[in-house]
C-alpha cells in the first residue's frame, strides 16, 4: 500500500504573498520584522492564509523538546 501525499506548494504561490514579496524587494524596510507594525497587510495576509498572525505564532506554546 502506498501513501499518497499532496503536491508541495510554494509560499509565493499563495494568494497575496507575491504582492508582499514584490513590495519587500522594492522597499527594503518592508521586509524587516518590525515592518508589521507599519504595514498591517502583512499580518492580514498571514491571518487569511494560515489563521494566525506572527504574534499569534510567537506566543504559541511549544513542545519542551
Amino acid at each position: 500500500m502506498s501513501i499518497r501525499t499532496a503536491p508541495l506548494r510554494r509560499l509565493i504561490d499563495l494568494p497575496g504573498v507575491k504582492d508582499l514579496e514584490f513590495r519587500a524587494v522594492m522597499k527594503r524596510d518592508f521586509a524587516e520584522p518590525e515592518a508589521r507594525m507599519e504595514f498591517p497587510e502583512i499580518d492580514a495576509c498571514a491571518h487569511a492564509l494560515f489563521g494566525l498572525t506572527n504574534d499569534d505564532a510567537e506566543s504559541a506554546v511549544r513542545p519542551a523538546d
Side-chain angles (χ1 to χ4, degrees):
M1 182 169 140
S2 65
I3 298 174
R4 299 188 82 184
T5 60
L8 296 177
R9 293 182 67 189
R10 297 179 327 151
L11 183 62
I12 198 158
D13 292 336
L14 296 176
V17 175
K18 189 177 288 186
D19 295 332
L20 293 178
E21 176 72 13
F22 179 75
R23 289 181 67 186
V25 169
M26 298 306 287
K27 183 177 181 184
R28 195 66 199 137
D29 292 342
F30 191 84
E32 298 301 323
E34 305 82 35
R36 288 185 5 260
M37 298 301 275
E38 186 178 345
F39 304 104
E41 58 267 39
I42 297 170
D43 273 344
C45 182
H47 189 269
L49 293 172
F50 307 115
L52 70 162
T53 65
N54 190 52
D55 290 336
D56 296 335
E58 288 294 324
S59 64
V61 177
R62 290 175 171 64
D65 60 346

